[in-house]
Structure formats: structure tokens, C-alpha cells
Amino acid sequence: MRAIGMGKEVRLRTPLDESAVRDLSIGDIVHLDGKAFAIAYAFQFQRALDELKGGKPLPMDLEGSAILHFPTCFKEEGGRWRIVYFGPTTSSKFNKVTPEFIRAFKIRAIVGKGGMDDAVMAAMMEVGCAFLQAIGGCAVIYTKGVEEITNVYWQERHWTYAVVELKLRDFGPLIVTMDVKGRRLGKEERGP
Amino acid sequence: MPITRELLFDVAVELFERATRSVPSDTLEALEKALKTETNELARYVLAMMLKNARMASESNTVVCQDTGLPTFFLKIGTDVEIEADVKKVLAEAVEKVSLEFPYRAAFVHPIFRDSAPLIVGGGIPIVICDTLPRADFIEIAMSPQPSGPEFWSRIEMISPPSDPLGAVKGFVLETVNRAGGAACPPMVVGVGLGGDMGEVAKLAKLASIRPINERNPDPELASLEEEMRALLNGTGIGPMGLGGDTTVLAVNIEVEYCMKAWLPMAVCLRCWTNRRARARIYNDGRVEHL
């Protein structure tokens, strides 16, 4: 494993500009502002792809967005959603469905934990998407970076599996561990 | 005077809240120490964020990690203690109350029929592990949520006694930590169980994993093995969150019991950097001592 120092610190707004993502290098520290989606179950990624293929209009606009592999705890209060807490889960659980998902929705950033496999890397390099590592176990820091939950989708199975649309404000720190040049920081991992 | 249901319930609530909403003081001290000695700049940055998050969780009484884990209670029941309650039921009620109030995410499903709504208690949850203490007039409760990542990468193996048992043990522990890499959220506490039978070796690893960080095995040879293993694992370069560095483990704790001549049972229980746990004793006279 190559030791690498810290890179530049950048604050980016979503939807992310492709050139801004291509400028990111491993070791850079990113904070995000703007719209993002928390999706933490493989079957929800698959559902989005299936509905797109079936020609069904999706209830949310995923095009060019940032995806957070963050299981989310929220509460409905007076017709609005309040975030209780959220934080990163292991991203390699979504290796299989992610290359197609990145290509289909032109995803610009994936925020998670532990990196993803080479097929995901290939899709990231092609589309212009970076993997941003969140620090595991830091639910308080990341929850503070959520201004509000703007919508919640696909709760049929159970609310804990929902796709959550968020508005982020100074959300981070996130460390670039897979960049568009195909470089990695740390080793790829599997499992939860 | 027997311990009442109400007292047991209140202590269990407090322990579950503390165990999910703070990082224990010995672990904070170990992380602070690592921050001073770590040579990798990015690793120091990650360690500083971990400490910041732990502080923020305690201050705001909110969960440290989004994964509040599978609730597990380790009980030591004094043989002179009197309890006026169905202990396992009361512990489950405490977990349910805390989980519903906050709320915590329901996370537990049937291992085969996974489609139904996830539970917060029931179906064997919380896990309760019991032991006895001779002549003691108290019950000691250690509450420790078992998080998804580190627990997933924990391992158990039964091998034939090799020509070099010590080498086999070191190799098994090293391989387990290398396989886990950053997925178990290092720096970790590594609980190692050796001996017993299949159930016992797993329990030994669990008990080792909740031992205080600075407490070495009373057997001097095992204590020096713990130190040696700690240095070996920190030499892997995995580092905090697997991003590189000198801090991969905070402690290696080993527990040993005898086994059959034909076996070498080995188990490794990994704990993430949050190392969440809380412990208290309740005495017959109603005194509560937080440890």
C-alpha cells in the first residue's frame, strides 16, 4: 500500500460538473452542497435500472447526481421528514449493479466506504465519476451535513430500505479514494 | 432485598444508550495516543475526525454510528443475587424502548425468509450470554452492540494441532485482519479465543473483544503474545479506515482454555474503532455501580 499525503480541499456543489470531478485526485478532501440520494440496498439500484429499461418514468431525477451508500434513519413529523442519523456502509455490496447504474444515470460521485471493484472503476473513468470515502462510524459529523430530507421514495418493503433525497450543506469530509484517472487509495474490499 | 424489575430495566436502558451513543474512555485514550504516534498525515486526519465524532455524539446524546449493531448483553450473575424479574425479557424490553423512542433503525431479519419487515427485538434478539460468579451479591451486565462490518469479517476455525501451534495462531489472526482490511473500520480491537470447543472458542473471542484495552492477559506469556501480535498487525499498513498508516489495531486481547488433543479451535472477533460497550453492576441492596 502506497502512503499518500493529503491532497487539496475542495467544496463542490451538485449536480457536479464533469470537469470538476475529473480534476479530483486520490487523497483530496471533498465537502458537498446540494441535492444527493441515499441508497443503501442493491435491490433499489436494480429497481431504478429496471424501471428505466421498462420505459417507466422514475419518480426521482437521478441524472448526474451524487449517490450516498448511507443507510438512513428518518422520522415523519407533520408531513415532513426529519433526519435522525445516517452514515456510510460498505460499498462493495453494490459492485454488481453499479457499473450499469453509473452509465445509465451519468452518476458523478459515489460516497461510501471501502471502495469498489475494477468494473465500477472502468465505468467511473468512462463517465467521469469519483468514489468519495466517508469515515465509518462518524454518523454525527455526516448527519450535520444534511440540511433537509426533500423526499422519500420506494418504502413499500419497509421504511428502512427507502431511497432518500437530501439537500446537503458542507457535507463531509469525504476522501477521494478512486479517481477518474483510475488511481486507488487503500485496497478494495468486499462484504458489509 | 431482591433487585426489582424496574431497577434492572432502568440500568439496561442506560447501558444500551451509553453503548450506542458514546465511545468508551479507554478507547478514546487509545485513539488520542495513536493520533500522537501515527506517522501518516491522512491517517492522523481520519483519527482526528473519529475523535471529533465521538465527542459530538456524547455531547448531543446521539448515536456514534449509523450501525447501532446487534444488541448483546454479557451477564455475570452472582450466586447470592436475588432478582425479581425475567432477566432476558426485561433486557429485550429495554432495547425495544430505546430503539423505538430515538428511533433506531430496525435491522434484524430471518436468515432465510428475509422479505418480512425487519425487527428491533424478538427472534432471539437481544443476545444474552450468561456466566456465574460464586458468592457475589450482584449481577454484572456488559452491553455491547455488535456492528455489521467488523462482525462480518470475524472468523472461527477448527484445525488439527499443527507442529507450530503459535505460528498457526499468529497466521490465522493476521490473515483475518488482512482480509477485513478497511471494511471492519480500523483501528480495531482484536479479540482472540483459543481452545474450548466450537461454542466456547467463539465465546472466548467475544469476551476477549470486550476486555478493557489496557488490561493484558494475566498469564505473562499470553500478555507478551498480545503485545507481539499488536505490533505485527500494526505493521500491515492497513491504517485507519484502510487508507494506510501505522494504526490498524488498538489492542489484541487473547483468552485461552484447554481443548481436546485432536483440535486447535481458533476464533477472532473484530471490533471497529468505536469499540462500543458499557458495563454496570447491580447489587441486592439496589446500589448501581457503573464500571
Side-chain angles (χ1 to χ4, degrees), chain B residues 161-172:
Chain B
S163 55
D164 174 18
L166 199 54
V169 168
K170 285 182 198 171
F172 180 70

Side-chain angles (χ1 to χ4, degrees), chain B residues 39-120:
Chain B
T39 59
N40 179 305
E41 187 192 9
L42 184 60
R44 281 199 305 273
Y45 181 83
V46 173
L47 289 168
M49 281 301 151
M50 290 169 169
L51 283 160
K52 183 182 168 189
N53 186 76
R55 201 167 49 237
M56 285 166 74
S58 294
E59 282 166 10
S60 57
N61 189 33
T62 185
V63 298
V64 173
C65 177
Q66 59 82 16
D67 184 352
T68 50
L70 196 160
T72 303
F73 291 91
F74 299 86
L75 307 184
K76 283 184 195 164
I77 303 168
T79 51
D80 292 346
V81 83
E82 281 182 73
I83 307 172
E84 202 173 58
D86 178 343
V87 174
K88 283 177 89 164
K89 186 163 166 270
V90 173
L91 296 177
E93 285 165 358
V95 167
E96 187 175 34
K97 176 193 150 75
V98 172
S99 305
L100 287 176
E101 265 183 15
F102 196 74
Y104 291 177
R105 298 175 77 246
F108 312 115
V109 296
H110 189 283
I112 297 167
F113 310 114
R114 307 185 75 98
D115 281 355
S116 53
L119 305 176
I120 48 173

Side-chain angles (χ1 to χ4, degrees), chain B:
Chain B
M1 203 172 60
I3 296 168
T4 62
R5 184 221 165 262
E6 287 68 30
L7 182 60
L8 179 65
F9 179 79
D10 290 348
V11 172
V13 163
E14 194 179 338
L15 288 174
F16 187 43
E17 288 184 348
R18 215 169 87 206
T20 45
R21 300 181 197 170
S22 64
V23 173
S25 57
D26 64 338
T27 310
L28 291 173
E29 279 163 30
L31 289 164
E32 294 275 9
K33 208 171 137 194
L35 185 60
K36 289 198 185 91
T37 56
E38 173 64 58
T39 59
N40 179 305
E41 187 192 9
L42 184 60
R44 281 199 305 273
Y45 181 83
V46 173
L47 289 168
M49 281 301 151
M50 290 169 169
L51 283 160
K52 183 182 168 189
N53 186 76
R55 201 167 49 237
M56 285 166 74
S58 294
E59 282 166 10
S60 57
N61 189 33
T62 185
V63 298
V64 173
C65 177
Q66 59 82 16
D67 184 352
T68 50
L70 196 160
T72 303
F73 291 91
F74 299 86
L75 307 184
K76 283 184 195 164
I77 303 168
T79 51
D80 292 346
V81 83
E82 281 182 73
I83 307 172
E84 202 173 58
D86 178 343
V87 174
K88 283 177 89 164
K89 186 163 166 270
V90 173
L91 296 177
E93 285 165 358
V95 167
E96 187 175 34
K97 176 193 150 75
V98 172
S99 305
L100 287 176
E101 265 183 15
F102 196 74
Y104 291 177
R105 298 175 77 246
F108 312 115
V109 296
H110 189 283
I112 297 167
F113 310 114
R114 307 185 75 98
D115 281 355
S116 53
L119 305 176
I120 48 173
V121 286
I125 289 162
I127 292 174
V128 181
I129 296 165
C130 298
D131 204 351
T132 54
L133 282 173
R135 309 305 313 241
D137 65 342
F138 60 82
I139 174 172
E140 184 175 310
I141 307 173
M143 196 293 141
S144 175
Q146 309 293 305
S148 173
E151 193 63 16
F152 182 88
W153 290 100
S154 295
R155 273 167 93 206
I156 178 165
E157 197 162 287
M158 188 74 90
I159 61 170
S160 295
S163 55
D164 174 18
L166 199 54
V169 168
K170 285 182 198 171
F172 180 70
V173 178
L174 180 63
E175 195 192 325
T176 304
V177 166
N178 268 325
R179 275 167 45 155
C185 291
M188 296 175 272
V189 171
V190 181
V192 180
L194 302 172
D197 65 359
M198 191 190 89
E200 190 70 5
V201 77
K203 197 176 90 182
L204 288 172
K206 284 273 160 205
L207 292 171
S209 80
I210 62 165
R211 194 210 288 166
I213 283 187
N214 294 321
E215 199 179 298
R216 299 277 56 84
N217 191 295
D219 178 330
E221 275 182 55
L222 290 173
S224 75
L225 180 61
E226 288 174 344
E227 293 292 1
E228 187 191 335
M229 289 298 303
R230 190 166 79 97
L232 178 75
L233 298 173
N234 280 331
T236 58
I238 293 168
M241 292 313 298
L243 302 179
D246 327 311
T247 317
T248 302
V249 301
L250 299 175
V252 177
N253 299 338
I254 304 173
E255 295 292 335
V256 171
E257 281 178 7
Y258 277 43
C259 61
M260 293 289 278
K261 287 176 195 158
W263 308 333
L264 171 47
M266 305 184 286
V268 176
C269 176
L270 301 175
R271 308 275 299 150
C272 65
W273 71 267
T274 66
N275 195 26
R276 286 164 289 173
R277 50 175 157 67
R279 204 187 297 255
R281 283 179 183 173
I282 314 173
Y283 291 81
N284 271 345
D285 61 10
R287 267 182 308 133
V288 178
E289 189 184 354
H290 284 278
L291 303 166

Side-chain angles (χ1 to χ4, degrees), chain A:
Chain A
M1 210 175 299
R2 194 156 49 102
I4 190 151
M6 279 167 65
K8 57 184 180 294
E9 287 204 39
V10 284
R11 193 159 167 178
L12 298 175
R13 175 161 287 281
T14 63
L16 297 165
D17 185 43
E18 185 180 342
S19 66
V21 175
R22 290 194 180 273
D23 279 346
L24 293 174
S25 298
I26 50 170
D28 287 353
I29 309 281
V30 178
H31 282 74
L32 294 177
D33 295 283
K35 189 174 93 168
F37 292 92
I39 313 179
Y41 291 90
F43 76 90
Q44 299 286 39
F45 287 100
Q46 193 58 53
R47 177 169 176 180
L49 288 170
D50 290 347
E51 296 202 356
L52 184 74
K53 269 183 267 181
K56 199 172 158 188
L58 292 178
M60 72 292 268
D61 180 16
L62 294 168
E63 193 77 17
S65 65
I67 300 296
L68 277 44
H69 295 156
F70 278 44
T72 306
C73 186
F74 59 90
K75 217 174 165 177
E76 211 172 328
E77 283 171 349
R80 295 181 64 83
W81 297 278
R82 177 177 69 82
I83 186 149
V84 182
Y85 59 85
F86 80 158
T89 190
T90 298
S91 297
S92 52
K93 288 184 281 190
F94 317 118
N95 275 341
K96 209 175 143 207
V97 76
T98 298
E100 193 185 345
F101 191 84
I102 290 173
R103 291 187 176 104
F105 298 106
K106 302 279 173 287
I107 301 301
R108 293 272 169 247
I110 292 181
V111 182
K113 181 162 85 76
M116 301 187 81
D117 68 7
D118 289 340
V120 174
M121 178 68 103
M124 285 181 161
M125 292 167 72
E126 188 188 308
V127 172
C129 173
F131 185 88
L132 312 178
Q133 158 96 31
I135 301 166
C138 289
V140 197
I141 288 176
Y142 293 114
T143 305
K144 239 177 118 76
V146 176
E147 199 175 317
E148 59 174 336
I149 292 179
T150 49
N151 220 328
V152 174
Y153 308 93
W154 297 346
Q155 295 191 67
E156 292 89 338
R157 187 153 156 191
H158 189 261
W159 68 268
T160 52
Y161 297 110
V163 171
V164 181
E165 187 176 331
L166 312 138
K167 195 170 160 199
L168 306 176
R169 187 176 51 198
D170 200 15
F171 174 76
L174 310 168
I175 303 152
V176 180
T177 56
M178 291 167 72
D179 66 20
V180 183
K181 292 142 204 136
R183 294 178 301 183
R184 286 177 182 278
L185 183 63
K187 63 170 195 160
E188 177 214 324
E189 283 122 15
R190 311 152 307 271

